[in-house]
């Protein structure tokens, strides 16, 4: 049966040859995830490098799992893999699973019924056929890839499921071990396929963070880029309540304003906006209003500042640092974090190995060492230490 589906895949992606199926996805990744760093790199002082190496760094959003490459192997495309993340002194990286992207995707209006870009990508990558036509299975296949990488190299990659896992990782890194913690998340709640039972399935697979929507409205409610601008549906409210009880991080990065307000009204929620910019600093339809961002922070959440030009209005480390400074002005230094969106079909001024360029830019921006330590990861570690489930129940 799978052989017949594989044969059909070639027809569905345009009668492509085996060579196209093998080589087109890497080509697409290279074109869609450019690094705008100059050939000689961004200048980084000895002072900045020393500070950078002393930091506990975390990032709230990477889509590297989408591209079906071995995360344990360093490659010359895209923004991140485990070797480059470790070179950049990353302690904890959130890896999200992307399962659907509408044809003609844009920041303004997308139809739920629009064609899907991820289906042909998964076929072209020759992912397991069970993932071709099921959003749940598409998420689980990516989760399995992360689990497989961690199993093959436990000394360099660990999956974080509980606050005890996080504490152990940070203690081991403080003792000198070069190991990356991976937190598994979902880019949108549509892999639940409208069934509450699937939240348990995903939780058991290791998911500890979930965005409620992505670029289109779904069963949970309205997207910032959808058609209805709706708030939480009844199903969405049930999902949010269950996520709170299970210690899962609620991500509002692509939520409609009405959904943001509805989530904040649910008792016990401490949502984040994992990857965004600040609207007053960079007017963009991708960025939520300052008022809503401030309300998320006031509820005890985090604001993850993205690295790509659409949300920070520039393509240099200084532009990212400027957005971080604007976020601190808006919500305070205790609620700002990194949300790169690495490998998410966006540009970045540096890849993971050259993250020290951001530390330099933050120094140049005038942030203190304590502020830099909070933004680069301290705030994220504090938040996760409070929100993640306890291993002892």
């Amino acid at each position: 049966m799978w052989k017949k589906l594989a044969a059909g895949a070639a027809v569905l992606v345009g009668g492509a040859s085996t060579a196209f199926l093998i080589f087109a996805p890497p080509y697409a990744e290279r074109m869609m995830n450019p690094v705008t760093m100059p050939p000689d790199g961004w200048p980084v002082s000895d002072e900045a490098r020393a500070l950078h190496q002393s930091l506990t760094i975390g990032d709230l959003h990477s889509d590297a799992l989408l591209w079906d490459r071995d995360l344990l192997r360093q490659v010359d495309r895209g923004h991140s893999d485990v070797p480059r993340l470790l070179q950049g002194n990353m302690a904890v990286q959130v890896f999200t699973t992307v399962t659907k992207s509408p044809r003609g995707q844009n920041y303004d209006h997308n139809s739920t019924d629009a064609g899907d870009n991820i289906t042909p990508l998964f076929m072209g990558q020759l992912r397991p056929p069970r993932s071709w036509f099921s959003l749940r299975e598409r998420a689980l296949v990516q989760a399995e890839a992360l689990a497989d990488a961690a199993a093959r190299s436990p000394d360099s990659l660990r999956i974080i499921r509980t606050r005890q896992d996080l504490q152990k990782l940070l203690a081991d890194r403080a003792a000198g071990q070069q190991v990356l913690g991976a937190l598994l998340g979902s880019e949108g709640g549509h892999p639940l396929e409208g069934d509450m039972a699937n939240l348990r399935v995903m939780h058991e697979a290791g998911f500890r963070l979930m965005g409620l929507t992505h670029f289109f409205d779904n069963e949970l409610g309205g997207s910032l880029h959808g058609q209805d601008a709706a708030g939480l549906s009844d199903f969405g409210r049930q999902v949010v309540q269950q996520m709170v009880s299970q210690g899962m991080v609620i991500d509002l990065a692509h939520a409609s304003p009405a959904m943001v307000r509805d989530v904040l009204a649910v008792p016990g929620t401490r949502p984040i906006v994992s990857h965004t910019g600040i609207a007053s600093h960079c007017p963009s339809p991708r960025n939520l209003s300052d008022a809503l961002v401030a309300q998320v922070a006031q509820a005890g959440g985090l604001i993850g500042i993205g690295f790509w030009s659409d949300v920070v209005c520039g393509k240099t480390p200084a532009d990212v640092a400027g957005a971080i400074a604007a976020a601190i002005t808006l919500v305070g230094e205790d609620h700002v974090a990194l949300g790169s969106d690495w490998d998410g079909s966006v540009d970045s001024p540096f890849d993971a190995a050259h993250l020290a360029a951001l530390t330099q830019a933050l120094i140049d921006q005038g942030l203190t060492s304590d502020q830099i330590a909070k933004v680069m990861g301290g705030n994220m570690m504090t938040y996760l230490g409070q929100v993640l489930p306890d291993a002892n129940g």
Side-chain angles (χ1 to χ4, degrees):
M1 175 174 143
W2 297 134
K3 289 182 180 179
K4 290 181 180 179
L5 284 172
V11 175
L12 288 171
V13 297
S17 66
T18 301
F20 177 83
L21 291 173
I22 293 172
F23 293 114
Y27 175 81
E29 181 187 1
R30 192 182 301 276
M31 294 299 101
M32 296 176 72
N33 294 306
V35 177
T36 58
M37 185 170 63
D40 295 333
W42 304 104
V44 180
S45 67
D46 291 343
E47 173 197 6
R49 290 192 188 280
L51 175 58
H52 188 81
Q53 287 304 121
S54 74
L55 300 173
T56 299
I57 303 174
D59 180 72
L60 289 169
H61 197 89
S62 166
D63 292 330
L65 291 172
L66 174 64
W67 301 102
D68 193 32
R69 49 181 166 86
D70 186 353
L71 286 178
L72 300 177
R73 184 170 66 89
Q74 184 167 339
V75 297
D76 63 353
R77 63 182 186 272
H79 304 138
S80 67
D81 43 54
V82 171
R84 282 185 286 175
L85 286 162
L86 291 175
Q87 289 172 41
N89 196 32
M90 186 68 68
V92 178
Q93 178 67 64
V94 175
F95 290 99
T96 47
T97 61
V98 179
T99 53
K100 183 177 177 180
S101 168
R103 295 283 175 85
Q105 179 176 295
N106 61 84
Y107 290 142
D108 295 315
H109 301 286
N110 298 278
S111 169
T112 303
D113 299 324
D116 174 33
N117 294 316
I118 306 302
T119 299
L121 178 65
F122 264 55
M123 290 177 173
Q125 293 173 339
L126 300 181
R127 296 275 185 119
R130 64 185 172 90
S131 69
W132 293 355
F133 306 110
S134 166
L135 300 184
R136 186 192 75 166
E137 294 304 312
R138 205 169 284 178
L140 294 176
V141 160
Q142 293 175 72
E144 289 161 9
L146 182 64
D148 174 70
R152 286 186 289 118
S153 186
D155 291 338
S156 64
L157 180 65
R158 294 183 201 167
I159 297 178
I160 304 297
R161 296 179 177 86
T162 67
R163 63 185 66 174
Q164 285 84 359
D165 290 343
L166 177 64
Q167 292 164 357
K168 180 67 164 58
L169 175 97
L170 296 180
D172 288 345
R173 284 185 58 88
Q177 186 172 345
Q178 290 296 299
V179 58
L180 175 70
L183 192 76
L184 182 61
S186 174
E187 184 93 85
H190 35 280
L192 300 178
E193 297 179 339
D195 186 347
M196 280 294 296
N198 284 331
L199 185 61
R200 176 178 52 80
V201 171
M202 292 180 68
H203 189 269
E204 291 177 353
F207 286 86
R208 293 297 181 269
L209 179 150
M210 188 171 72
L212 302 185
T213 55
H214 194 203
F215 272 91
F216 52 92
D217 304 328
N218 64 24
E219 298 93 341
L220 283 74
S223 166
L224 180 61
H225 329 285
Q227 294 179 307
D228 298 334
L232 278 175
S233 66
D234 290 342
F235 175 69
R237 195 174 305 277
Q238 294 175 46
V239 169
V240 167
Q241 291 168 340
Q242 186 63 27
M243 288 179 70
V244 171
S245 69
Q246 292 183 168
M248 292 183 70
V249 178
I250 299 165
D251 184 7
L252 299 175
H254 292 277
S256 70
M259 176 178 275
V260 174
R261 290 188 288 269
D262 286 350
V263 169
L264 290 172
V266 176
T269 55
R270 287 182 61 183
I272 68 170
V273 182
S274 66
H275 53 304
T276 187
I278 302 301
S280 58
H281 172 261
C282 178
S284 166
R286 174 60 179 79
N287 293 335
L288 284 167
S289 71
D290 284 15
L292 287 176
V293 167
Q295 288 176 41
V296 171
Q298 289 164 8
L302 294 179
I303 310 303
I305 299 301
F307 296 173
W308 75 106
S309 54
D310 288 348
V311 296
V312 300
C313 289
K315 295 187 176 184
T316 71
D319 295 311
V320 181
I324 288 171
I328 291 174
T329 298
L330 178 64
V331 303
E333 64 188 46
D334 294 330
H335 297 280
V336 182
L338 305 183
S340 65
D341 202 15
W342 274 328
D343 299 303
S345 301
V346 295
D347 58 271
S348 176
F350 40 77
D351 68 357
H354 297 88
L355 184 57
L358 179 56
T359 299
Q360 178 69 67
L362 293 172
I363 292 173
D364 296 342
Q365 184 69 36
L367 271 66
T368 68
S369 296
D370 286 346
Q371 288 176 317
I372 292 171
K374 288 181 178 182
V375 167
M376 292 291 283
N379 291 336
M380 178 177 166
M381 303 310 151
T382 298
Y383 174 88
L384 292 177
Q386 296 169 348
V387 174
L388 286 175
D390 191 298
N392 299 316

